[in-house]
Amino acid sequence: DNAQNSPAATFGCGLTYAKIFLGTDPSIPSDCKIAPQFRIDVATASDQAIVDKVAMVVAAYAEGLLFKQDELGRYIASPYDVFLRANHLPAAPLAGETEAQHAQRLLGLLENLGSPVFIDGSSASFKYHPQPFVFGALELQGLKIFLRAAQGAVDGSQHSGNCASCHLPPNFTDFRFHNNGSTQEEYDAANGAGTFMGLQIPTQAERIQNPALYMPASANHPNASERFRHPAVAGNLAYADLGLWNVYLNPDIPNPQANLTTIVCAIASNCAVDQGLAITIAQFKTPTLRDLEDSAPYFHNGSEAKFDDVVNFYINTSQLARQGKLRNTAAEFAGMSLSSDDLDALVAFLKALTEDYDDA
């Protein structure tokens, strides 16, 4: 029904989404025309068919967004990338070097960088962002904190974010799944501190026995409650978003299971069914941090609006992890030791990953 309204006019098309997706109106502007394979008549199509077409359009758009690279495939367009190049620092792993090894090698070079060449904005600027194109002493401090891993952290005093354990340069993602605590924060905010730790989560046998109660909706179970892929609801202990848990070992979603098993079992000390399933509780895929400025709000639930909120979240969550109060704690928290003293530097570094997409 919303397709008959006119929100598309807000984005310069001047027509309803129904007409844009049908694609036959001769008055559709050339930059609003949808390719034939994405078109659909929303008046007659099912809801699922419409969702599928919209997903295809969004995917095509996302695949067309490119970060600028040189002829060797190295990123070149953010202040961070320009800083690396100006100081002859490695922008990508060497042949045979893992991204984790590259990150540690980069940190070692940075710790011993005597007279860094900073980027002051005089030779470059952003086309689509109001912030200055800079990478200075504060950004460098943030980069070091980002790359450092604490040893035996007992508090937040070691200026070590261990961020690169999940957000590995140069892509700033490991393309894997982690529980950063955002589900617990959301659930506890709705139901009281510590309540997520006590949430009863079914075993695989219980899920299979009663999929309509525990599993996400699917063609086989269209009326499932989806209680474990639902945002937390104040005063209702039943709802929580458990992320990957909804997909892993779900017989209604067979295609990714082999790959997911490889990923889960790579980090599981015991990959038996229920132990492996428990590892996936509240896990979500690591996003890239490149051009993070354009990705707000942050986390899977959009719970953090600004970079400052994200850093403060990790300061608080890492403290919960050290105290044993974070359910299904990600192993990476063991190397995180942050305090409010690290806030400004980390925020400055995250801003330095901003870049203009390649619109060539």
Side-chain angles (χ1 to χ4, degrees):
D1 56 349
N2 287 338
Q4 301 306 320
N5 297 327
S6 55
T10 305
F11 302 100
C13 292
L15 298 167
T16 65
Y17 281 119
K19 289 183 178 179
I20 294 297
F21 271 92
L22 186 61
T24 58
D25 193 316
S27 67
I28 298 175
S30 59
D31 60 347
C32 292
K33 288 182 179 178
I34 292 180
Q37 66 268 30
F38 302 133
R39 294 176 185 172
I40 192 169
D41 185 349
V42 301
T44 59
S46 67
D47 289 347
Q48 187 59 53
I50 294 171
V51 168
D52 291 343
K53 287 294 184 180
V54 171
M56 290 172 63
V57 170
V58 172
Y61 166 74
E63 290 171 0
L65 296 174
L66 302 175
F67 296 119
K68 291 185 177 72
Q69 301 177 16
D70 64 13
E71 66 280 3
L72 298 178
R74 297 173 299 193
Y75 297 111
I76 60 174
S78 73
Y80 162 79
D81 300 315
V82 176
F83 171 79
L84 293 186
R85 190 163 63 251
N87 289 275
H88 307 288
L89 294 166
L94 297 169
E97 185 179 45
T98 67
E99 290 183 338
Q101 291 168 338
H102 160 68
Q104 288 307 299
R105 181 165 63 94
L106 176 59
L107 176 60
L109 294 170
L110 291 168
E111 298 282 23
N112 293 287
L113 190 61
S115 300
V117 177
F118 291 126
I119 310 304
D120 61 7
S122 61
S123 59
S125 62
F126 287 113
K127 181 179 179 180
Y128 302 116
H129 300 89
Q131 71 190 57
F133 194 99
V134 297
F135 196 104
L138 188 62
E139 286 79 9
L140 176 56
Q141 180 186 351
L143 172 56
K144 292 177 182 179
I145 294 170
F146 185 93
L147 294 173
R148 286 191 197 119
Q151 300 297 319
V154 295
D155 58 26
S157 65
Q158 292 180 255
H159 309 295
S160 301
N162 199 28
C163 312
S165 59
C166 300
H167 296 282
L168 286 160
N171 296 306
F172 289 94
T173 175
D174 61 359
F175 301 101
R176 291 181 177 271
F177 299 85
H178 302 275
N179 171 26
N180 70 352
S182 54
T183 285
Q184 178 163 322
E185 179 195 54
E186 177 185 87
Y187 190 88
D188 285 1
N191 297 293
T195 51
F196 187 71
M197 292 286 286
L199 175 64
Q200 293 298 309
I201 299 175
T203 65
Q204 175 67 353
E206 290 168 335
R207 292 200 312 175
I208 296 300
Q209 185 176 5
N210 200 341
L213 179 60
Y214 298 126
M215 294 290 213
S218 66
N220 293 332
H221 305 99
N223 298 316
S225 71
E226 301 207 311
R227 58 175 291 194
F228 288 125
R229 67 184 298 263
H230 194 287
V233 176
N236 190 329
L237 297 174
Y239 293 106
D241 190 349
L242 301 187
L244 181 59
W245 183 91
N246 291 283
V247 177
Y248 186 56
L249 300 180
N250 184 340
D252 290 346
I253 312 175
N255 290 339
Q257 295 305 324
N259 288 337
L260 289 178
T261 297
T262 299
I263 292 171
V264 170
C265 292
I267 62 172
S269 58
N270 182 343
C271 200
V273 170
D274 286 327
Q275 286 78 3
L277 183 62
I279 286 173
T280 67
I281 291 173
Q283 285 193 342
F284 295 86
K285 196 168 186 178
T286 308
T288 180
L289 299 185
R290 285 191 171 272
D291 200 34
L292 196 63
E293 189 81 19
D294 286 327
S295 302
Y298 304 110
F299 299 158
H300 74 278
N301 55 3
S303 60
E304 313 302 334
K306 301 178 297 183
F307 289 170
D308 300 57
D309 300 326
V310 171
V311 176
N312 280 320
F313 167 87
Y314 279 112
I315 292 171
N316 296 331
T317 304
S318 60
Q319 182 178 2
L320 288 176
R322 285 192 296 272
Q323 296 171 350
K325 296 179 180 179
L326 184 64
R327 185 169 187 167
N328 191 31
T329 305
E332 291 75 18
F333 277 113
M336 184 178 290
S337 177
L338 295 172
S339 73
S340 57
D341 293 338
D342 304 308
L343 177 65
D344 290 344
L346 276 173
V347 168
F349 168 65
L350 292 174
K351 288 182 177 180
L353 291 174
T354 301
E355 67 176 87
D356 293 326
Y357 282 117
D358 189 349
D359 57 357

